[in-house]
Tab-separated table of all heavy atoms in Angstrom:
chain	number	residue	atom	x	y	z
A	81	MET	N	-11.596	-37.217	-4.651
A	81	MET	CA	-10.322	-36.790	-5.250
A	81	MET	C	-10.377	-35.294	-5.567
A	81	MET	O	-10.097	-34.851	-6.682
A	81	MET	CB	-10.006	-37.596	-6.508
A	81	MET	CG	-9.968	-39.092	-6.309
A	81	MET	SD	-8.426	-39.692	-5.661
A	81	MET	CE	-7.310	-39.344	-6.992
A	82	GLY	N	-10.770	-34.499	-4.564
A	82	GLY	CA	-10.831	-33.051	-4.752
A	82	GLY	C	-11.938	-32.615	-5.676
A	82	GLY	O	-11.860	-31.571	-6.310
A	83	GLY	N	-12.987	-33.407	-5.747
A	83	GLY	CA	-14.134	-33.065	-6.582
A	83	GLY	C	-14.030	-33.571	-8.010
A	83	GLY	O	-14.915	-33.339	-8.815
A	84	THR	N	-12.956	-34.257	-8.344
A	84	THR	CA	-12.776	-34.754	-9.722
A	84	THR	C	-13.390	-36.130	-9.925
A	84	THR	O	-13.485	-36.592	-11.060
A	84	THR	CB	-11.281	-34.823	-10.089
A	84	THR	OG1	-10.636	-35.770	-9.226
A	84	THR	CG2	-10.623	-33.458	-9.960
A	85	LEU	N	-13.803	-36.779	-8.846
A	85	LEU	CA	-14.354	-38.132	-8.937
A	85	LEU	C	-15.695	-38.167	-8.211
A	85	LEU	O	-15.748	-37.967	-7.000
A	85	LEU	CB	-13.386	-39.125	-8.291
A	85	LEU	CG	-13.768	-40.600	-8.294
A	85	LEU	CD1	-13.779	-41.137	-9.728
A	85	LEU	CD2	-12.776	-41.390	-7.450
A	86	PRO	N	-16.799	-38.395	-8.952
A	86	PRO	CA	-18.097	-38.487	-8.271
A	86	PRO	C	-18.069	-39.659	-7.277
A	86	PRO	O	-17.527	-40.726	-7.592
A	86	PRO	CB	-19.088	-38.756	-9.400
A	86	PRO	CG	-18.382	-38.366	-10.658
A	86	PRO	CD	-16.921	-38.557	-10.399
A	87	PRO	N	-18.619	-39.477	-6.060
A	87	PRO	CA	-18.578	-40.555	-5.053
A	87	PRO	C	-19.120	-41.880	-5.567
A	87	PRO	O	-18.588	-42.934	-5.238
A	87	PRO	CB	-19.435	-40.016	-3.909
A	87	PRO	CG	-19.401	-38.535	-4.068
A	87	PRO	CD	-19.284	-38.284	-5.543
A	88	ASP	N	-20.143	-41.839	-6.413
A	88	ASP	CA	-20.710	-43.093	-6.919
A	88	ASP	C	-19.825	-43.747	-7.978
A	88	ASP	O	-20.046	-44.881	-8.375
A	88	ASP	CB	-22.126	-42.882	-7.450
A	88	ASP	CG	-22.186	-41.934	-8.638
A	88	ASP	OD1	-21.310	-41.053	-8.753
A	88	ASP	OD2	-23.111	-42.075	-9.451
A	89	LYS	N	-18.799	-43.052	-8.440
A	89	LYS	CA	-17.866	-43.603	-9.425
A	89	LYS	C	-16.550	-44.020	-8.777
A	89	LYS	O	-15.619	-44.441	-9.441
A	89	LYS	CB	-17.570	-42.581	-10.530
A	89	LYS	CG	-18.796	-42.129	-11.285
A	89	LYS	CD	-19.384	-43.250	-12.103
A	89	LYS	CE	-20.538	-42.726	-12.929
A	89	LYS	NZ	-21.522	-43.705	-13.227
A	90	ASN	N	-16.458	-43.864	-7.469
A	90	ASN	CA	-15.226	-44.199	-6.755
A	90	ASN	C	-14.872	-45.665	-6.933
A	90	ASN	O	-13.722	-46.018	-7.110
A	90	ASN	CB	-15.377	-43.837	-5.274
A	90	ASN	CG	-14.200	-44.241	-4.438
A	90	ASN	OD1	-14.025	-45.422	-4.161
A	90	ASN	ND2	-13.394	-43.278	-4.040
A	91	GLY	N	-15.877	-46.539	-6.859
A	91	GLY	CA	-15.648	-47.950	-7.119
A	91	GLY	C	-15.020	-48.724	-5.986
A	91	GLY	O	-14.696	-49.887	-6.137
A	92	TYR	N	-14.833	-48.077	-4.836
A	92	TYR	CA	-14.145	-48.805	-3.790
A	92	TYR	C	-14.637	-48.506	-2.380
A	92	TYR	O	-14.880	-49.397	-1.604
A	92	TYR	CB	-12.630	-48.526	-3.843
A	92	TYR	CG	-11.889	-49.425	-2.877
A	92	TYR	CD1	-11.513	-50.692	-3.272
A	92	TYR	CD2	-11.645	-49.038	-1.571
A	92	TYR	CE1	-10.896	-51.553	-2.398
A	92	TYR	CE2	-11.025	-49.885	-0.691
A	92	TYR	CZ	-10.645	-51.141	-1.107
A	92	TYR	OH	-10.051	-51.988	-0.242
A	93	ASP	N	-14.749	-47.266	-2.043
A	93	ASP	CA	-14.817	-46.796	-0.665
A	93	ASP	C	-15.880	-47.456	0.217
A	93	ASP	O	-17.035	-47.568	-0.172
A	93	ASP	CB	-15.066	-45.287	-0.668
A	93	ASP	CG	-14.850	-44.667	0.675
A	93	ASP	OD1	-13.698	-44.566	1.081
A	93	ASP	OD2	-15.847	-44.319	1.331
A	94	TYR	N	-15.459	-47.884	1.399
A	94	TYR	CA	-16.341	-48.374	2.457
A	94	TYR	C	-16.321	-47.325	3.560
A	94	TYR	O	-15.606	-47.450	4.542
A	94	TYR	CB	-15.860	-49.723	2.990
A	94	TYR	CG	-16.000	-50.822	1.983
A	94	TYR	CD1	-14.959	-51.196	1.168
A	94	TYR	CD2	-17.223	-51.463	1.830
A	94	TYR	CE1	-15.101	-52.199	0.232
A	94	TYR	CE2	-17.380	-52.466	0.892
A	94	TYR	CZ	-16.309	-52.833	0.099
A	94	TYR	OH	-16.477	-53.822	-0.826
A	95	THR	N	-17.073	-46.274	3.389
A	95	THR	CA	-16.985	-45.096	4.239
A	95	THR	C	-17.112	-45.396	5.718
A	95	THR	O	-16.385	-44.852	6.527
A	95	THR	CB	-18.059	-44.070	3.815
A	95	THR	OG1	-17.820	-43.728	2.455
A	95	THR	CG2	-17.980	-42.823	4.657
A	96	PHE	N	-18.022	-46.266	6.120
A	96	PHE	CA	-18.262	-46.452	7.543
A	96	PHE	C	-17.071	-47.085	8.250
A	96	PHE	O	-16.741	-46.709	9.349
A	96	PHE	CB	-19.535	-47.270	7.780
A	96	PHE	CG	-20.750	-46.593	7.215
A	96	PHE	CD1	-21.422	-47.129	6.144
A	96	PHE	CD2	-21.188	-45.404	7.751
A	96	PHE	CE1	-22.530	-46.500	5.612
A	96	PHE	CE2	-22.299	-44.757	7.233
A	96	PHE	CZ	-22.969	-45.297	6.162
A	97	GLY	N	-16.438	-48.084	7.686
A	97	GLY	CA	-15.215	-48.645	8.220
A	97	GLY	C	-15.350	-49.715	9.270
A	97	GLY	O	-14.413	-50.466	9.506
A	98	TRP	N	-16.473	-49.809	9.930
A	98	TRP	CA	-16.605	-50.789	11.008
A	98	TRP	C	-16.601	-52.211	10.490
A	98	TRP	O	-16.395	-53.148	11.251
A	98	TRP	CB	-17.873	-50.531	11.832
A	98	TRP	CG	-19.127	-50.441	11.020
A	98	TRP	CD1	-19.736	-49.300	10.589
A	98	TRP	CD2	-19.919	-51.518	10.517
A	98	TRP	NE1	-20.850	-49.596	9.845
A	98	TRP	CE2	-20.990	-50.973	9.788
A	98	TRP	CE3	-19.833	-52.905	10.611
A	98	TRP	CZ2	-21.955	-51.743	9.161
A	98	TRP	CZ3	-20.804	-53.671	9.982
A	98	TRP	CH2	-21.847	-53.078	9.273
A	99	GLN	N	-16.817	-52.409	9.206
A	99	GLN	CA	-16.848	-53.758	8.651
A	99	GLN	C	-15.466	-54.405	8.665
A	99	GLN	O	-15.350	-55.615	8.644
A	99	GLN	CB	-17.343	-53.765	7.196
A	99	GLN	CG	-18.672	-53.129	6.973
A	99	GLN	CD	-18.550	-51.686	6.521
A	99	GLN	OE1	-17.727	-50.931	6.997
A	99	GLN	NE2	-19.400	-51.279	5.607
A	100	PHE	N	-14.431	-53.591	8.667
A	100	PHE	CA	-13.076	-54.099	8.525
A	100	PHE	C	-12.201	-53.534	9.631
A	100	PHE	O	-11.879	-52.355	9.626
A	100	PHE	CB	-12.491	-53.710	7.169
A	100	PHE	CG	-13.360	-54.104	6.021
A	100	PHE	CD1	-14.081	-53.165	5.323
A	100	PHE	CD2	-13.484	-55.440	5.659
A	100	PHE	CE1	-14.891	-53.539	4.265
A	100	PHE	CE2	-14.298	-55.816	4.607
A	100	PHE	CZ	-15.007	-54.867	3.918
A	101	GLY	N	-11.799	-54.379	10.544
A	101	GLY	CA	-10.912	-53.908	11.599
A	101	GLY	C	-11.587	-52.863	12.449
A	101	GLY	O	-12.781	-52.927	12.728
A	102	THR	N	-10.844	-51.873	12.835
A	102	THR	CA	-11.382	-50.789	13.647
A	102	THR	C	-11.227	-49.469	12.899
A	102	THR	O	-10.153	-49.195	12.359
A	102	THR	CB	-10.683	-50.691	15.012
A	102	THR	OG1	-11.142	-49.507	15.681
A	102	THR	CG2	-9.175	-50.648	14.892
A	103	PRO	N	-12.257	-48.642	12.851
A	103	PRO	CA	-12.113	-47.354	12.161
A	103	PRO	C	-11.217	-46.384	12.933
A	103	PRO	O	-10.853	-45.343	12.416
A	103	PRO	CB	-13.548	-46.829	12.077
A	103	PRO	CG	-14.288	-47.528	13.143
A	103	PRO	CD	-13.625	-48.863	13.309
A	104	PHE	N	-10.821	-46.730	14.146
A	104	PHE	CA	-10.039	-45.813	14.962
A	104	PHE	C	-8.549	-45.826	14.627
A	104	PHE	O	-7.785	-45.075	15.210
A	104	PHE	CB	-10.287	-46.080	16.441
A	104	PHE	CG	-11.715	-45.820	16.813
A	104	PHE	CD1	-12.582	-46.865	17.058
A	104	PHE	CD2	-12.207	-44.533	16.853
A	104	PHE	CE1	-13.909	-46.629	17.358
A	104	PHE	CE2	-13.537	-44.276	17.139
A	104	PHE	CZ	-14.392	-45.334	17.400
A	105	ASN	N	-8.121	-46.671	13.712
A	105	ASN	CA	-6.741	-46.570	13.234
A	105	ASN	C	-6.723	-46.313	11.729
A	105	ASN	O	-5.749	-46.576	11.068
A	105	ASN	CB	-5.940	-47.836	13.582
A	105	ASN	CG	-6.275	-49.005	12.688
A	105	ASN	OD1	-7.362	-49.086	12.131
A	105	ASN	ND2	-5.349	-49.924	12.536
A	106	GLN	N	-7.826	-45.795	11.215
A	106	GLN	CA	-7.941	-45.512	9.788
A	106	GLN	C	-8.247	-44.032	9.606
A	106	GLN	O	-8.756	-43.380	10.513
A	106	GLN	CB	-9.085	-46.334	9.194
A	106	GLN	CG	-8.975	-47.813	9.428
A	106	GLN	CD	-10.285	-48.536	9.149
A	106	GLN	OE1	-11.265	-47.960	8.701
A	106	GLN	NE2	-10.307	-49.824	9.438
A	107	LYS	N	-7.962	-43.534	8.428
A	107	LYS	CA	-8.344	-42.155	8.124
A	107	LYS	C	-9.851	-42.101	7.903
A	107	LYS	O	-10.465	-43.063	7.454
A	107	LYS	CB	-7.595	-41.665	6.890
A	107	LYS	CG	-6.102	-41.546	7.136
A	107	LYS	CD	-5.390	-40.947	5.954
A	107	LYS	CE	-3.915	-40.828	6.293
A	107	LYS	NZ	-3.188	-40.062	5.291
A	108	TRP	N	-10.434	-40.954	8.223
A	108	TRP	CA	-11.882	-40.748	8.105
A	108	TRP	C	-12.185	-39.911	6.872
A	108	TRP	O	-11.414	-39.035	6.490
A	108	TRP	CB	-12.403	-40.022	9.342
A	108	TRP	CG	-12.340	-40.840	10.590
A	108	TRP	CD1	-11.248	-41.011	11.395
A	108	TRP	CD2	-13.377	-41.614	11.148
A	108	TRP	NE1	-11.565	-41.845	12.434
A	108	TRP	CE2	-12.860	-42.228	12.318
A	108	TRP	CE3	-14.694	-41.860	10.798
A	108	TRP	CZ2	-13.625	-43.061	13.120
A	108	TRP	CZ3	-15.456	-42.683	11.604
A	108	TRP	CH2	-14.915	-43.270	12.749
A	109	ASP	N	-13.330	-40.145	6.275
A	109	ASP	CA	-13.796	-39.339	5.154
A	109	ASP	C	-14.053	-37.915	5.642
A	109	ASP	O	-14.453	-37.693	6.786
A	109	ASP	CB	-15.097	-39.945	4.596
A	109	ASP	CG	-15.552	-39.230	3.345
A	109	ASP	OD1	-15.018	-39.546	2.274
A	109	ASP	OD2	-16.423	-38.347	3.455
A	110	ILE	N	-13.836	-36.935	4.758
A	110	ILE	CA	-14.029	-35.523	5.131
A	110	ILE	C	-15.479	-35.199	5.465
A	110	ILE	O	-15.757	-34.123	5.985
A	110	ILE	CB	-13.509	-34.561	4.045
A	110	ILE	CG1	-14.209	-34.813	2.714
A	110	ILE	CG2	-12.002	-34.634	3.933
A	110	ILE	CD1	-13.906	-33.786	1.637
A	111	SER	N	-16.400	-36.108	5.198
A	111	SER	CA	-17.789	-35.865	5.567
A	111	SER	C	-17.981	-35.952	7.085
A	111	SER	O	-19.005	-35.527	7.605
A	111	SER	CB	-18.720	-36.853	4.866
A	111	SER	OG	-18.417	-38.179	5.256
A	112	TYR	N	-17.000	-36.494	7.788
A	112	TYR	CA	-17.038	-36.563	9.257
A	112	TYR	C	-16.298	-35.372	9.837
A	112	TYR	O	-15.347	-34.876	9.231
A	112	TYR	CB	-16.366	-37.848	9.756
A	112	TYR	CG	-17.122	-39.100	9.424
A	112	TYR	CD1	-16.818	-39.837	8.282
A	112	TYR	CD2	-18.140	-39.561	10.255
A	112	TYR	CE1	-17.510	-40.997	7.976
A	112	TYR	CE2	-18.833	-40.719	9.953
A	112	TYR	CZ	-18.519	-41.428	8.814
A	112	TYR	OH	-19.200	-42.565	8.518
A	113	PRO	N	-16.677	-34.921	11.042
A	113	PRO	CA	-15.920	-33.843	11.673
A	113	PRO	C	-14.476	-34.284	11.927
A	113	PRO	O	-14.205	-35.468	12.124
A	113	PRO	CB	-16.646	-33.610	13.005
A	113	PRO	CG	-17.868	-34.427	12.985
A	113	PRO	CD	-17.778	-35.400	11.858
A	114	GLU	N	-13.565	-33.321	11.930
A	114	GLU	CA	-12.155	-33.652	12.161
A	114	GLU	C	-11.943	-34.345	13.500
A	114	GLU	O	-11.019	-35.142	13.639
A	114	GLU	CB	-11.294	-32.392	12.086
A	114	GLU	CG	-11.071	-31.897	10.675
A	114	GLU	CD	-10.084	-30.754	10.627
A	114	GLU	OE1	-8.973	-30.908	11.171
A	114	GLU	OE2	-10.433	-29.722	10.043
A	115	ASN	N	-12.763	-34.055	14.477
A	115	ASN	CA	-12.590	-34.626	15.816
A	115	ASN	C	-13.497	-35.841	16.046
A	115	ASN	O	-13.863	-36.152	17.173
A	115	ASN	CB	-12.850	-33.570	16.883
A	115	ASN	CG	-14.299	-33.109	16.909
A	115	ASN	OD1	-15.019	-33.201	15.921
A	115	ASN	ND2	-14.724	-32.593	18.057
A	116	ILE	N	-13.822	-36.576	14.981
A	116	ILE	CA	-14.759	-37.706	15.086
A	116	ILE	C	-14.273	-38.754	16.085
A	116	ILE	O	-15.075	-39.314	16.834
A	116	ILE	CB	-15.057	-38.332	13.700
A	116	ILE	CG1	-16.182	-39.365	13.798
A	116	ILE	CG2	-13.823	-38.929	13.094
A	116	ILE	CD1	-17.528	-38.802	14.093
A	117	ALA	N	-12.987	-39.026	16.125
A	117	ALA	CA	-12.468	-40.030	17.064
A	117	ALA	C	-12.731	-39.594	18.506
A	117	ALA	O	-13.145	-40.407	19.341
A	117	ALA	CB	-10.988	-40.277	16.826
A	118	GLU	N	-12.519	-38.318	18.797
A	118	GLU	CA	-12.783	-37.815	20.146
A	118	GLU	C	-14.269	-37.870	20.472
A	118	GLU	O	-14.656	-38.206	21.604
A	118	GLU	CB	-12.257	-36.382	20.312
A	118	GLU	CG	-10.749	-36.254	20.302
A	118	GLU	CD	-10.171	-36.209	18.889
A	118	GLU	OE1	-10.914	-35.901	17.921
A	118	GLU	OE2	-8.965	-36.513	18.747
A	119	LEU	N	-15.116	-37.552	19.496
A	119	LEU	CA	-16.567	-37.620	19.715
A	119	LEU	C	-17.007	-39.050	20.018
A	119	LEU	O	-17.830	-39.277	20.909
A	119	LEU	CB	-17.318	-37.077	18.498
A	119	LEU	CG	-17.145	-35.585	18.219
A	119	LEU	CD1	-17.785	-35.217	16.885
A	119	LEU	CD2	-17.728	-34.752	19.348
A	120	PHE	N	-16.461	-40.020	19.282
A	120	PHE	CA	-16.779	-41.416	19.558
A	120	PHE	C	-16.271	-41.836	20.939
A	120	PHE	O	-16.945	-42.564	21.657
A	120	PHE	CB	-16.183	-42.343	18.492
A	120	PHE	CG	-17.096	-42.575	17.324
A	120	PHE	CD1	-16.730	-42.154	16.059
A	120	PHE	CD2	-18.306	-43.223	17.488
A	120	PHE	CE1	-17.565	-42.367	14.977
A	120	PHE	CE2	-19.149	-43.446	16.410
A	120	PHE	CZ	-18.776	-43.021	15.152
A	121	GLN	N	-15.077	-41.375	21.302
A	121	GLN	CA	-14.537	-41.726	22.615
A	121	GLN	C	-15.420	-41.172	23.729
A	121	GLN	O	-15.708	-41.872	24.702
A	121	GLN	CB	-13.097	-41.216	22.764
A	121	GLN	CG	-12.410	-41.732	24.004
A	121	GLN	CD	-12.292	-43.246	24.012
A	121	GLN	OE1	-11.818	-43.832	23.058
A	121	GLN	NE2	-12.748	-43.883	25.074
A	122	GLU	N	-15.860	-39.930	23.595
A	122	GLU	CA	-16.778	-39.339	24.577
A	122	GLU	C	-18.059	-40.160	24.673
A	122	GLU	O	-18.550	-40.445	25.773
A	122	GLU	CB	-17.134	-37.898	24.185
A	122	GLU	CG	-16.050	-36.897	24.398
A	122	GLU	CD	-16.446	-35.514	23.892
A	122	GLU	OE1	-17.674	-35.211	23.820
A	122	GLU	OE2	-15.539	-34.737	23.546
A	123	TYR	N	-18.597	-40.522	23.535
A	123	TYR	CA	-19.821	-41.329	23.492
A	123	TYR	C	-19.595	-42.675	24.179
A	123	TYR	O	-20.390	-43.111	25.011
A	123	TYR	CB	-20.241	-41.525	22.036
A	123	TYR	CG	-21.444	-42.402	21.847
A	123	TYR	CD1	-22.724	-41.916	22.071
A	123	TYR	CD2	-21.306	-43.727	21.451
A	123	TYR	CE1	-23.840	-42.720	21.892
A	123	TYR	CE2	-22.407	-44.541	21.274
A	123	TYR	CZ	-23.671	-44.032	21.502
A	123	TYR	OH	-24.768	-44.846	21.337
A	124	ASN	N	-18.505	-43.345	23.837
A	124	ASN	CA	-18.204	-44.648	24.429
A	124	ASN	C	-17.965	-44.549	25.930
A	124	ASN	O	-18.351	-45.441	26.688
A	124	ASN	CB	-16.996	-45.283	23.744
A	124	ASN	CG	-17.314	-45.757	22.336
A	124	ASN	OD1	-18.473	-45.968	21.998
A	124	ASN	ND2	-16.294	-45.891	21.522
A	125	ASP	N	-17.335	-43.466	26.373
A	125	ASP	CA	-17.076	-43.286	27.808
A	125	ASP	C	-18.361	-43.132	28.616
A	125	ASP	O	-18.382	-43.404	29.813
A	125	ASP	CB	-16.175	-42.074	28.044
A	125	ASP	CG	-14.736	-42.301	27.608
A	125	ASP	OD1	-14.356	-43.481	27.405
A	125	ASP	OD2	-13.999	-41.306	27.459
């Protein structure tokens, strides 16, 4: 939340996303590069 919430106090986030549905239709955490979807697509190809 812009640095106002320590990650360990978030109480919710499942950063990886693969556990639920597909991460390719979800927003990504800023810890990932902005082009993460393209990088995964290149890898998968």
Side-chain angles (χ1 to χ4, degrees):
M81 304 278 294
T84 63
L85 181 66
D88 63 332
K89 301 293 185 208
N90 176 286
Y92 188 86
D93 193 72
Y94 292 95
T95 301
F96 299 112
W98 53 263
Q99 305 96 320
F100 307 106
T102 173
F104 297 106
N105 76 335
Q106 305 165 5
K107 293 185 178 189
W108 292 83
D109 186 81
I110 58 172
S111 62
Y112 291 95
E114 285 187 53
N115 66 336
I116 188 69
E118 291 83 20
L119 294 172
F120 271 117
Q121 189 61 52
E122 286 176 25
Y123 177 78
N124 288 339
D125 288 344

